[in-house]
Amino acid sequence: MRRGAILQLVLLSAVIGAAVTAVAIFIGWLPEQASKERERIDFVFWFTTAICIAIFALVASVMLYCVWKFRARPDDDSDGAPIHGHTGLEIAWTAVPTILVTGIAIVSTVALAQNERPTGDPLRVEVTARQFAWSFKYPEHGDLTTTILRLPVDRSVELRIRALDVIHSFFVPEFGQKQDALTSGETKLIITPTKVGQYPIICSELCGLGHAFMRSRVEVLPPSAFAAWVAEQRRALGGSPEQAGKAVFTENGCGGCHTFEPAGTKAEVGPSLDELSAQARGADQPLEEFVRESIVEPDAYVEQGFSKELMPETYDQLPDEQLDALVQYLVRGSEGGR
Ligand code: CUA
């Protein structure tokens, strides 16, 4: 009789466990896996999930079994037998969870500690967050500055993250980690991309009206393609003023919002840069001064028909050389098209 009950319980929990496992495994709950660190975090996730499934199957099967087996028959108004607890059971349901939770704590601690250590010599990238844009600077590559994060695959990267106004948070779901960007000091994040591809960069800390739009992307490239991109940018920055200016314009996403004929861009989120001369006259400023101020302090003068705080203020982070190149490029381009 007792053996039969245990067998029924075991069967019932096996069925429930199998069903829940199928739900866990066959539905794609997680984003694509694209970094070493993410692999470790996923291991912790599945380790914890396996424990949860086992406990759920056990509890659910005992519950269903009892509801079915000990239900009141019609017209049975008698009380249940008086019970005074069970010391053995109480010890078991205190000890087992303690062991499991300790296990999860140990596994997580090891994973997090490993995730804080880069393998080999990491590539350093300075990340600046500001309402509502990201900017990335490569100190090892002549302070090359971009708004799209490009990384070589299979090399650890050390992101040094900071914010200039309020708290933001750097998050690439495929990399599996978040790190706050603070105004009080630098935070660090180690990432070792394992898969070539493009992934979204998301701000995951409510930081103001434009929070939902504070997005960029990371492009993980084969090492040769990354080296080629760096070489090309540096060649352009060291080349003719035209090449340098265009490289800064392109890398910093200016064309995503502005029309500018010399660069062949046609976006209309912000004012057309082909009209800079007229706009400078409207602002009553010399052209070059006007262009520079509009880049580093976009809200100082806002063209009619456009609202304040639309243009991110991250561009004052551009190294002087790149800012000069950009200013000259815009001044020349708009003088040509006056
Ligand atoms: Cu920056 Cu949310």
Side-chain angles (χ1 to χ4, degrees):
M1 174 65 200
R2 246 196 115 138
R3 281 251 302 278
I6 289 174
L7 188 67
Q8 281 175 328
L9 269 173
V10 169
L11 276 177
L12 192 55
S13 62
V15 170
I16 294 172
V20 179
T21 305
V23 170
I25 291 178
F26 294 117
I27 297 179
W29 299 102
L30 300 177
E32 196 184 339
Q33 198 178 57
S35 82
K36 267 242 155 50
E37 293 72 22
R38 171 65 196 287
E39 288 167 18
R40 298 190 188 111
I41 286 175
D42 282 6
F43 176 78
V44 177
F45 175 81
W46 288 115
F47 179 78
T48 312
T49 303
I51 291 175
C52 292
I53 290 177
I55 291 179
F56 178 80
L58 179 73
V59 171
S61 60
V62 170
M63 210 169 71
L64 285 177
Y65 180 84
C66 293
V67 165
W68 172 251
K69 206 77 178 174
F70 304 118
R71 69 189 185 280
R73 311 281 153 181
D75 296 328
D76 177 4
D77 292 332
S78 64
D79 283 338
I83 297 174
H84 187 261
H86 189 295
T87 312
L89 257 183
E90 283 179 27
I91 290 175
W93 74 47
T94 307
V96 172
T98 306
I99 292 167
L100 293 178
V101 170
T102 309
I104 293 173
I106 292 171
V107 170
S108 325
T109 307
V110 170
L112 288 178
Q114 285 178 332
N115 277 1
E116 280 178 14
R117 271 200 307 270
T119 30
D121 174 37
L123 170 72
R124 286 185 182 79
V125 181
E126 290 171 13
V127 180
T128 306
R130 195 175 230 187
Q131 290 168 322
F132 297 97
W134 298 98
S135 134
F136 308 97
K137 193 190 278 182
Y138 298 77
E140 291 162 31
H141 300 301
D143 277 348
L144 193 59
T145 305
T146 86
T147 51
I148 293 170
L149 178 60
R150 288 188 180 77
L151 301 175
V153 74
D154 292 329
R155 179 177 172 191
S156 285
V157 182
E158 184 182 296
L159 300 179
R160 297 184 172 186
I161 307 171
R162 66 196 181 119
L164 298 179
D165 38 29
V166 297
I167 299 176
H168 304 268
S169 180
F170 179 93
F171 181 37
V172 176
E174 286 79 1
F175 291 164
Q177 299 174 103
K178 288 180 184 179
Q179 182 59 277
D180 277 359
L182 307 177
T183 50
S184 55
E186 254 178 17
T187 49
K188 265 206 271 180
L189 184 63
I190 302 292
I191 291 169
T192 315
T194 51
K195 211 180 263 176
V196 169
Q198 292 194 13
Y199 313 104
I201 295 171
I202 297 166
C203 176
S204 63
E205 182 74 53
L206 183 60
C207 54
L209 270 182
H211 162 70
F213 304 107
M214 189 168 162
R215 286 172 170 241
S216 178
R217 68 170 193 273
V218 51
E219 291 183 10
V220 178
L221 305 168
S224 58
F226 177 77
W229 170 73
V230 169
E232 190 195 315
Q233 294 306 313
R234 296 200 67 173
R235 193 164 43 235
L237 289 176
S240 72
E242 182 69 19
Q243 286 173 322
K246 189 168 181 181
V248 178
F249 185 91
T250 309
E251 276 310 308
N252 290 281
C254 308
C257 290
H258 297 284
T259 297
F260 191 49
E261 223 198 297
T265 64
K266 296 200 158 43
E268 287 178 349
V269 179
S272 163
L273 303 180
D274 292 325
E275 318 288 328
L276 280 171
S277 299
Q279 291 158 11
R281 279 196 296 275
D284 205 13
Q285 279 184 36
L287 180 58
E288 185 178 332
E289 220 168 273
F290 172 74
V291 171
R292 186 177 298 268
E293 184 192 76
S294 300
I295 295 170
V296 298
E297 207 185 319
D299 288 341
Y301 172 85
V302 177
E303 187 62 15
Q304 244 189 359
F306 296 92
S307 54
K308 273 197 170 192
E309 290 175 17
L310 194 59
M311 169 143 162
E313 293 184 344
T314 30
Y315 297 109
D316 66 355
Q317 295 303 300
L318 279 172
D320 287 343
E321 260 171 61
Q322 291 171 53
L323 179 61
D324 290 342
L326 181 60
V327 171
Q328 294 309 325
Y329 179 64
L330 291 170
V331 166
R332 266 193 322 275
S334 55
E335 273 175 339
R338 189 188 318 225

PDB file of all heavy atoms in Angstrom, residues 9 28 75 170 199 207 267:
ATOM      1  N   LEU A   9       3.467   8.704  -6.558  1.00  0.00           N
ATOM      2  CA  LEU A   9       4.042  10.045  -6.386  1.00  0.00           C
ATOM      3  C   LEU A   9       5.235  10.263  -7.301  1.00  0.00           C
ATOM      4  O   LEU A   9       5.379  11.312  -7.935  1.00  0.00           O
ATOM      5  CB  LEU A   9       4.483  10.244  -4.927  1.00  0.00           C
ATOM      6  CG  LEU A   9       3.440  10.853  -4.001  1.00  0.00           C
ATOM      7  CD1 LEU A   9       3.942  10.845  -2.569  1.00  0.00           C
ATOM      8  CD2 LEU A   9       3.119  12.276  -4.433  1.00  0.00           C
ATOM      9  N   GLY A  28      12.354  29.549 -26.519  1.00  0.00           N
ATOM     10  CA  GLY A  28      13.587  30.347 -26.482  1.00  0.00           C
ATOM     11  C   GLY A  28      13.447  31.532 -25.544  1.00  0.00           C
ATOM     12  O   GLY A  28      13.130  32.626 -25.956  1.00  0.00           O
ATOM     13  N   ASP A  75     -21.014  13.916   2.022  1.00  0.00           N
ATOM     14  CA  ASP A  75     -21.633  13.683   3.328  1.00  0.00           C
ATOM     15  C   ASP A  75     -20.640  13.326   4.423  1.00  0.00           C
ATOM     16  O   ASP A  75     -21.022  12.885   5.499  1.00  0.00           O
ATOM     17  CB  ASP A  75     -22.703  12.557   3.263  1.00  0.00           C
ATOM     18  CG  ASP A  75     -23.837  12.970   2.356  1.00  0.00           C
ATOM     19  OD1 ASP A  75     -24.118  14.194   2.308  1.00  0.00           O
ATOM     20  OD2 ASP A  75     -24.408  12.099   1.680  1.00  0.00           O
ATOM     21  N   PHE A 170      24.663  50.384 -18.913  1.00  0.00           N
ATOM     22  CA  PHE A 170      25.082  49.774 -20.181  1.00  0.00           C
ATOM     23  C   PHE A 170      24.622  48.319 -20.208  1.00  0.00           C
ATOM     24  O   PHE A 170      24.937  47.548 -19.306  1.00  0.00           O
ATOM     25  CB  PHE A 170      26.604  49.855 -20.288  1.00  0.00           C
ATOM     26  CG  PHE A 170      27.160  49.247 -21.536  1.00  0.00           C
ATOM     27  CD1 PHE A 170      27.392  50.010 -22.663  1.00  0.00           C
ATOM     28  CD2 PHE A 170      27.471  47.889 -21.585  1.00  0.00           C
ATOM     29  CE1 PHE A 170      27.903  49.449 -23.820  1.00  0.00           C
ATOM     30  CE2 PHE A 170      27.986  47.317 -22.738  1.00  0.00           C
ATOM     31  CZ  PHE A 170      28.200  48.099 -23.855  1.00  0.00           C
ATOM     32  N   TYR A 199      24.647  43.562 -32.212  1.00  0.00           N
ATOM     33  CA  TYR A 199      23.733  43.435 -31.081  1.00  0.00           C
ATOM     34  C   TYR A 199      23.367  44.825 -30.568  1.00  0.00           C
ATOM     35  O   TYR A 199      24.155  45.758 -30.695  1.00  0.00           O
ATOM     36  CB  TYR A 199      24.399  42.611 -29.972  1.00  0.00           C
ATOM     37  CG  TYR A 199      25.053  41.355 -30.492  1.00  0.00           C
ATOM     38  CD1 TYR A 199      26.436  41.266 -30.628  1.00  0.00           C
ATOM     39  CD2 TYR A 199      24.275  40.274 -30.900  1.00  0.00           C
ATOM     40  CE1 TYR A 199      27.038  40.131 -31.150  1.00  0.00           C
ATOM     41  CE2 TYR A 199      24.870  39.130 -31.411  1.00  0.00           C
ATOM     42  CZ  TYR A 199      26.247  39.060 -31.535  1.00  0.00           C
ATOM     43  OH  TYR A 199      26.824  37.942 -32.058  1.00  0.00           O
ATOM     44  N   CYS A 207      16.373  57.152 -17.202  1.00  0.00           N
ATOM     45  CA  CYS A 207      17.252  58.312 -17.082  1.00  0.00           C
ATOM     46  C   CYS A 207      16.621  59.591 -17.610  1.00  0.00           C
ATOM     47  O   CYS A 207      17.275  60.618 -17.710  1.00  0.00           O
ATOM     48  CB  CYS A 207      18.572  58.043 -17.802  1.00  0.00           C
ATOM     49  SG  CYS A 207      18.352  57.550 -19.516  1.00  0.00           S
ATOM     50  N   ALA A 267      18.815  62.598 -43.590  1.00  0.00           N
ATOM     51  CA  ALA A 267      17.886  62.512 -42.454  1.00  0.00           C
ATOM     52  C   ALA A 267      17.342  63.890 -42.077  1.00  0.00           C
ATOM     53  O   ALA A 267      17.970  64.915 -42.364  1.00  0.00           O
ATOM     54  CB  ALA A 267      18.585  61.880 -41.266  1.00  0.00           C
TER      55      ALA A 267
END
